[in-house]
Amino acid sequence: MIQKVSASLQSSNLDLLSAVSLVKSLREHLNKMIRGIDERFSQETLNLIASMGKMLKLQTDDADIKILSEAFNLKNIHTEIKLLINIPEIESICGSSNINISKWLDWLVDSGRSEIFSDFYKSLKLFVTIPVTSCSCERAFSKLTIVKSKLRSVMTQERLNALMLIFIEQHIATEIDLEDVIEEFKVLIPGKRRIEL
């Protein structure tokens, strides 16, 4: 959009009113984009992510405890973190990446401590389920418009689901051996065919 407006503004036969109109529409478009970014990455979300990172390292302060308690409805998180700090085997788990969240969850479950450190466990489980962005959902709907076009508007839900699955999960679909699919198809639907398989 920006390139189109820039090219239009550089045109030699552009009148002043059209130029003002183009700049206004560009400004509205940019403001909409900025509002979208602000909604997706609010300060509250960024604070929650930072507090969670500190919690994984067991280095929280009072502000972090407040943010985590309000976000996940926790009552004893401060006490649980203090107890976790005093456990010697914890040093190998501390960190702030997704791998370490998985390590924390595994350690809490495997050691039977998920009920003892229930708020800590609850916050980890809830944090892992929060999607970072909605890009994957938006991407799926974008692909839906490609799969179900005006030319392919009449198809059953089952066929649409199958096509969407193949289109969205292309990395899996490329690994399928076509010879195996043909062999399975021969067995599933026996009988005379127009083309020999």
Side-chain angles (χ1 to χ4, degrees):
M1 167 125 188
I2 295 171
Q3 291 176 342
K4 288 180 182 178
V5 170
S6 177
S8 298
L9 289 173
Q10 294 174 21
S11 174
S12 60
N13 59 356
L14 182 69
D15 65 287
L16 190 58
L17 292 176
S18 298
V20 170
S21 174
L22 282 171
V23 170
K24 282 184 179 180
S25 67
L26 178 63
R27 179 180 277 165
E28 288 174 18
H29 185 70
L30 290 174
N31 284 335
K32 188 185 291 185
M33 288 173 58
I34 291 170
R35 279 193 304 274
I37 290 171
D38 288 341
E39 287 173 10
R40 286 186 181 188
F41 303 104
S42 68
Q43 192 60 43
E44 293 169 3
T45 305
L46 296 175
N47 289 341
L48 177 61
I49 293 168
S51 296
M52 197 67 190
K54 290 179 185 177
M55 187 188 87
L56 291 171
K57 295 178 181 179
L58 302 177
Q59 299 172 348
T60 54
D61 57 22
D62 290 338
D64 297 320
I65 297 297
K66 182 179 179 189
I67 290 169
L68 292 167
S69 297
E70 289 174 0
F72 300 122
N73 193 24
L74 308 173
K75 295 181 180 17
N76 301 317
I77 190 70
H78 187 64
T79 308
E80 290 179 11
I81 290 172
K82 282 185 177 180
L83 289 171
L84 284 166
I85 289 171
N86 295 319
I87 298 176
E89 62 194 83
I90 293 299
E91 293 176 12
S92 65
I93 303 173
C94 290
S96 64
S97 70
N98 288 341
I99 296 167
N100 291 325
I101 292 175
S102 177
K103 283 182 185 178
W104 271 114
L105 289 169
D106 291 343
W107 179 80
L108 287 167
V109 171
D110 294 344
S111 65
R113 295 178 176 166
S114 60
E115 290 183 21
I116 297 168
F117 301 106
S118 59
D119 280 355
F120 193 84
Y121 181 68
K122 176 183 175 183
S123 63
L124 290 174
K125 278 183 27 181
L126 290 173
F127 185 75
V128 170
T129 61
I130 298 172
V132 177
T133 66
S134 60
C135 290
S136 58
C137 299
E138 291 171 9
R139 198 174 301 121
F141 280 110
S142 177
K143 289 184 177 187
L144 178 64
T145 59
I146 295 170
V147 171
K148 190 169 183 177
S149 64
K150 288 181 181 177
L151 298 174
R152 275 194 226 139
S153 62
V154 181
M155 73 172 81
T156 64
Q157 187 65 41
E158 184 180 355
R159 180 182 167 109
L160 178 63
N161 290 343
L163 288 173
M164 284 299 296
L165 182 65
I166 292 169
F167 199 51
I168 291 171
E169 304 294 342
Q170 287 179 357
H171 61 283
I172 296 172
T174 57
E175 296 174 5
I176 295 173
D177 184 18
L178 296 179
E179 294 299 321
D180 291 342
V181 173
I182 292 171
E183 289 301 317
E184 190 172 330
F185 190 70
K186 282 182 189 177
V187 174
L188 287 176
I189 307 173
K192 198 169 187 175
R193 306 184 188 286
R194 288 188 222 161
I195 301 174
E196 286 297 317
L197 298 177

